[in-house]
């Protein structure tokens, strides 16, 4: 029974002290933007791309016979 009697004032004291936190001030206006820093180090190499034949689809409307050709080494996205 004595433990309960002692715990109540201790808990109330902790509750009162927790309300005494230091208030943070609001931030002022943002300053001017500084100069850009030096570039960082290169990251690790990515995974290898797919190998073999690549199939590309062309979606277009032709009212006559159409021919589609790709240039060697040209990559289009």
């Amino acid at each position: 029974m004595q433990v309960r009697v002692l715990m109540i004032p201790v808990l109330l004291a902790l509750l009162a002290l927790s309300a005494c936190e230091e208030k943070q001030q609001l931030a002022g206006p943002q300053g001017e933007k500084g100069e850009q820093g030096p570039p960082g180090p290169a990251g690790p190499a990515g995974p290898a791309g797919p190998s073999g034949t690549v199939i590309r689809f062309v979606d277009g409307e032709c009212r006559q016979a159409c021919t589609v050709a790709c240039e060697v080494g040209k990559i289009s996205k």
Side-chain angles (χ1 to χ4, degrees):
M1 184 76 169
Q2 283 185 342
V3 174
R4 280 189 180 172
V5 173
L6 291 176
M7 287 297 286
I8 292 174
V10 170
L11 290 175
L12 289 175
L14 288 174
L15 182 63
L17 289 174
S18 68
C20 295
E21 68 182 59
E22 187 175 320
K23 303 292 181 189
Q24 294 182 358
Q25 294 182 358
L26 296 176
Q30 185 173 358
E32 293 182 26
K33 188 174 182 178
E35 295 180 24
Q36 184 174 357
S51 62
T53 305
V54 177
I55 299 174
R56 297 180 189 263
F57 293 93
V58 177
D59 185 15
E61 182 179 330
C62 291
R63 300 199 184 272
Q64 58 189 9
C66 295
T67 302
V68 177
C70 295
E71 294 180 29
V72 177
K74 184 174 181 181
I75 299 174
S76 60
K77 294 182 180 182

